[in-house]
Amino acid sequence: METERPSPRYSSIDAWEPREILDAMIEGQLAAVAAVRAARPAIETAALAVVQRLAQGGRIVYVGAGTSGRLAVQDGAELTPTFSWPQDRLLLLMAGGDDALLKAVEGAEDESGHGAELMRRHAIGEADVVIGVAASGTTPFTLACLREAGRRGALTIGVANNRDAPLLTQADHAVFLDTGSEAIAGSTRMKAGTAQRIALLMLSSLVMILQGRVFEGLMVDVQASNKKLVRRSERILTRLTGRDAAEIGAALVRAGGSVKLAYLLLEGHGLGEAQAALECSRGHLRRAVEALSSAK
């Protein structure tokens, strides 16, 4: 596997000057970005398929082991506070369970039976999207999750760093990140990990944008769960409407903290009218605005 292959380029890295080592690692990070750029068509196609599947009310399910699993879980965990993605429509499944997020759980990635059993336990079905991430593309746990999910009719996406790996060939949508060998052979938390992180970020963010959870480049579905995010909600509405703090605060209270609903209220629409427009547009603010404008 390319991700495991020692590179002659770095064979003497431990004898290099510190600045040379850092330059080599920066070089690797830039290569990771280039690998994601090359995978852009696959990421776009996968995102469009995800949006279509999620319209059926399904869940986003991230699965992985080790470094890849932690990166997958990190991306998924950010969807709720950033985009208000419903918690009941999100599953973060890591080989070894939650303990593996903080420390290595020996042998967990080899438990293919456990991976398949998790898909059955959580009743993964046709409305769901399962994203499996593994640098090698051969991790038994992740591969078993993907296979069982596919057998149960879920949309499957494989993200891996080795060409033609099983995780790619057996997924409905394959995202191959051609990062090659690492500066430290086999340490896929480096180049491969960076590419995975960027690819997942792009995939999930595009899905959320296409679902209308971003408006005018702003996080209008932000979940105001702390003071910082409350202030962010207020700043978003200030940017969108130019209204003063008192008006914005009152609108947010009427809207129950929803930035989208508060925006429509500040634009002069009634509460019931705004709620109905958002419901009809499935929460897509731009479509709701267009529908309300055409109804005048």
Side-chain angles (χ1 to χ4, degrees):
M1 293 186 293
E2 282 296 305
T3 51
E4 300 290 329
R5 181 177 59 83
S7 171
R9 163 84 172 83
Y10 306 113
S11 60
S12 301
I13 194 170
D14 55 296
W16 294 359
E17 292 296 321
R19 63 178 178 80
E20 295 174 323
I21 296 172
L22 291 174
D23 283 343
M25 288 191 284
I26 291 170
E27 174 187 286
Q29 299 302 291
L30 295 174
V33 175
V36 177
R37 173 63 182 170
R40 194 272 301 160
I43 295 170
E44 179 183 4
T45 302
L48 292 171
V50 170
V51 171
Q52 187 175 22
R53 190 63 64 98
L54 292 178
Q56 302 175 27
R59 297 165 290 180
I60 303 176
V61 184
Y62 288 81
V63 299
T67 297
S68 296
R70 284 185 278 273
L71 290 169
V73 167
Q74 180 188 7
D75 191 74
E78 292 172 351
L79 297 184
T80 298
T82 306
F83 301 108
S84 289
W85 183 254
Q87 284 279 9
D88 63 353
R89 296 183 65 191
L90 179 67
L91 276 175
L92 308 175
L93 303 177
M94 177 83 179
D98 292 346
D99 287 346
L101 293 172
L102 300 177
K103 61 182 180 181
V105 176
E106 297 300 331
E109 68 175 46
D110 297 325
E111 295 179 358
S112 57
H114 181 55
E117 193 274 329
L118 280 174
M119 297 297 99
R120 294 189 291 269
R121 183 193 308 172
H122 291 287
I124 299 301
E126 295 180 358
D128 297 320
V129 175
V130 176
I131 304 170
V133 189
S136 68
T138 61
T139 305
F141 170 86
T142 310
L143 193 54
C145 287
L146 205 78
R147 284 172 173 162
E148 181 63 19
R151 192 186 69 78
R152 299 173 68 86
L155 179 74
T156 58
I157 298 171
V159 180
N161 301 74
N162 283 294
R163 190 183 303 276
D164 298 327
L167 194 67
L168 300 177
T169 59
Q170 297 181 32
D172 294 319
H173 293 274
V175 178
F176 168 50
L177 303 171
D178 190 7
T179 49
S181 57
E182 302 281 359
I184 301 173
S187 182
T188 52
R189 71 186 185 91
M190 302 180 76
K191 225 182 345 179
T194 296
Q196 290 171 7
R197 176 71 176 110
I198 299 171
L200 290 170
L201 174 70
M202 290 172 56
L203 175 65
S204 61
S205 297
L206 179 55
V207 166
M208 295 298 143
I209 291 170
L210 292 174
Q211 289 191 319
R213 293 174 183 269
V214 173
F215 181 71
E216 300 290 341
L218 300 169
M219 295 191 301
V220 290
D221 249 320
V222 64
Q223 189 177 83
S225 55
N226 56 46
K227 291 181 179 178
K228 180 188 76 172
L229 295 179
V230 169
R231 290 193 296 271
R232 180 177 293 168
S233 298
E234 294 168 345
R235 287 196 301 271
I236 288 171
L237 289 168
T238 300
R239 175 81 175 267
L240 290 174
T241 68
R243 301 297 184 85
D244 62 36
E247 290 178 289
I248 287 171
L252 278 170
V253 170
R254 286 186 66 202
S258 167
V259 173
K260 290 179 178 178
L261 188 53
Y263 171 72
L264 295 178
L265 295 178
L266 290 165
E267 290 295 291
H269 301 289
L271 181 60
E273 178 187 30
Q275 289 173 325
L278 284 172
E279 185 175 346
C280 287
S281 67
R282 293 186 176 180
H284 198 298
L285 181 55
R286 189 172 296 278
R287 291 176 188 164
V289 170
E290 291 170 352
L292 289 167
S293 297
S294 63
K296 287 183 179 180

